[in-house]
Amino acid sequence: MDKSKAYLLNFTFLTMKRPLALIGFSYFITLVVLNYIPDSNIIIVACGLFIALIISFLIKKFRNVENFFCIMFLSCLAATFSYVLNSGIIADKVKNLDETDIKISGTICDIPYKKNNNYNYILNINEINEQKIKPFKIILRSHSSLNSDICDIFTGHVHISSIENNISQAYKMHCKSRNIYAQAFFYEYMDNSNITPQSKSLQYYILYIRKEFSSNFRKIFTSEISSVINAIFLGENNSIPYEIKINFDKIGIYHLLTTSGIHISILAQTLLWIFKKFKLKNKFSYVLCAIIIFSLEVFTGFAPSTTKSGTVMIIYLLGMAIARKSDALNSLGIAVFIMCLINPNYACSVGLLLSVFSTLGIIFLYNPIKNKLKFNVKSKFLYKLINYITSSISLSLAVIIFTTPLTVLYYGKIAIISVISNILVYPLAIIIIFGATYVNFLFSINSPIFLIEFPAYICGTSAKIIIKISEFLSKIPYASLNTDYGIFHFCLLCILILFSLALCSTQTQKYFKITFLLSLNLIFISIFSYQIHERNSIYFSIIPCGDGLSLIISKNEHTAAFIQLKEKTNIENIQNYFSKCNIFCLDYLYISSTDSTKKYVVKNIAKNYTPQTIAVNNHDVIAQENLFKDLNYNVKSVYFEDELNSKFWDNISCEFKEINNKIFIKIISLHISFLVIPDGGDASKLPESWKECDFLILSGIPLNCQKIRSKNIILSTNMARAKIGIYKLSKPDSLLYSLPHQGIIHINLNSKGKYNIRRLK
């Protein structure tokens, strides 16, 4: 009994010495969890928390532990009420408007950006079909520019859909954190839009300055270089080429592309150093630095990551200004509490959650790890170099240990070489931050161009080196590890249990060493045992990509892809899967498109994944024009008119048939048959042997689809069409899978011809 009580006191000591941290983290974590609970169950959660609060007040044993449980349950209950009050009204309104054509009117409230050949505008709409509503934000997309400015009012007919229809949970949470509840597409051909200029507010001038800053480097460098500089300097990552984003993410340096704790800490340290050189009083320096950091939060539009880091730093600086010792854990708790109190949707930001946990890692582990790595040398140069390396390693390890559980749960992968990549890239990022500040200052005072050229050249060279480093490191085998399998989740659970036991132990430092070594062994054993077990298995992965179809077949280190692109196909989901599974090249590729705007995608996939064989239909004009253009390697191209038979990896055969200008694909592996229908057609025209299969994978629903007999049906389309498809395709003797509802469908076919089906993240 005494031992368990000692463990409990050990556990509550850190938090009860810092009650504000306990309140802040309890409030924040509750909001995070509630976002993943169905709305119908929220009332059950609230009742459970209320009962737990009453018990913690009534039972003396719980009250005696420094009121720990009382404060925690009260904070959780307050967060639940806040969540209920904040959600519901707008969400229900958007749900009723889902997949409808309406007339909207709203204010452009952010800097427009171009992505995937579409112009994107953030609108705060206050009128629907000429009726006033409670304002909410949407993303408005159009093929051409609206010729509008920030704060202008847009009025026009659009097709609107709920963000909830998007297949990416991370994207839905990101939009919700910015109070964006819907996406819409502008009907340009109707020529009914109206742009009404408005008087310019303070927000306009803040965003205008930011827009000018981001345009300065575009005047000097290519779009690729300028986008990386602007992302590191301003946190604007919408214009970065997707390949660069993938590389940054794979090697664990994606955090550099958002204004976060690194930027805030560099700014604060630099400002305090400058103020000290000018011999300003300490208190005045702290207050002035806090004001400047708050201005940066305003400048970045109160992005969650910036606001969290900025608020922590402001609280810390103000604490120093009033001559009190500022506590980092308390400051972090106050920061997340204030943010979530103002806007509960901030808790939806995965980036904010990762930022909070990375800060906790730095608070708890940075100094202990650095002290273990520290050793003295006589040379001052070597001492500084070693100090930098040990500081970088300590920082990276502290962040990785605390954020790994989140990256596994949210993204299903871990960047193995992030420690190395951060050591190499971090000093270059610092150079870009300072250089970009200097360049933009020179631009703002209309300095001669020769004064701007040298610091701009330094920034550009640093950005080029970062891009090259990311390209090189991302090509290393197992630079990132796909952890979307049960064995890795079991491994993670074991590691968390070991660290929890070490934390509760009275000899924490001793057991942490043992836990660290055991954790490394568990990770390596998991990797190698999984590879041995899955050797020679064949994987069929069907990726949810909205309209369109993406079937990826892989065996050992080999991959084949069958991709059909349509107007609203989500390309990023396909590329994310390639990145997550470390796919760099394709043995076999069939890719087609029914939308001319996807020409660049067809070309980029062929260039980036260097397929050895490409199957092309003679009637596919988009493929003919773009697939082989500017390719710098020898590729085997197979053209077909009516039908084509292919075979790869010895045990997979593939047959194409063109019937009434529609393509049908039959794939057979180890006597398991797959019928793929990318774009509809007429099922009655199929050969009789094709009408019976183990798996039917389709994007377009064909006529006479009831003639196809399949054990498993997998539907790849958007949410609205999936509902229709479920109604049409449901059969008592078939299992139906809907990608928008269930995510990636993964079929594992072992060497004995037996298969199992499961869902991946």
Side-chain angles (χ1 to χ4, degrees), residues 586-737:
L586 299 170
D587 293 339
Y588 193 92
L589 171 66
Y590 167 77
I591 184 168
S592 182
S593 177
T594 58
D595 180 36
S596 59
T597 62
K598 294 293 189 294
K599 288 181 178 180
Y600 76 99
V601 178
V602 174
K603 180 179 176 180
N604 285 345
I605 288 177
K607 287 185 68 176
N608 295 334
Y609 299 101
T610 57
Q612 302 306 306
T613 302
I614 302 180
V616 185
N617 182 257
N618 280 333
H619 296 146
D620 194 336
V621 177
I622 295 173
Q624 296 287 341
E625 289 180 355
N626 297 275
L627 199 54
F628 305 108
K629 189 177 180 181
D630 299 328
L631 296 183
N632 298 319
Y633 64 95
N634 295 322
V635 57
K636 180 183 177 183
S637 55
V638 182
Y639 296 88
F640 66 95
E641 183 78 37
D642 297 320
E643 60 181 43
L644 170 69
N645 291 314
S646 299
K647 190 173 183 181
F648 47 94
W649 309 338
D650 297 327
N651 52 9
I652 295 182
S653 63
C654 174
E655 187 175 353
F656 295 83
K657 279 192 183 296
E658 182 183 4
I659 303 173
N660 295 334
N661 295 321
K662 299 293 184 180
I663 300 296
F664 297 85
I665 308 169
K666 184 177 183 180
I667 302 169
I668 298 178
S669 177
L670 301 173
H671 306 295
I672 303 297
S673 58
F674 298 78
L675 177 58
V676 182
I677 305 178
D679 198 30
D682 188 350
S684 64
K685 304 291 185 181
L686 286 169
E688 286 302 318
S689 61
W690 284 43
K691 292 178 183 177
E692 187 163 346
C693 56
D694 295 290
F695 289 90
L696 172 61
I697 304 169
L698 69 172
S699 177
I701 301 172
L703 298 172
N704 302 305
C705 57
Q706 68 276 4
K707 293 184 179 294
I708 301 174
R709 299 173 297 279
S710 178
K711 298 176 185 176
N712 305 279
I713 302 172
I714 300 173
L715 184 60
S716 174
T717 184
N718 60 30
M719 186 70 76
R721 292 180 182 175
K723 293 174 182 177
I724 300 171
I726 291 170
Y727 173 75
K728 287 185 175 182
L729 297 169
S730 293
K731 298 178 182 179
D733 56 345
S734 298
L735 295 174
L736 179 61
Y737 301 88

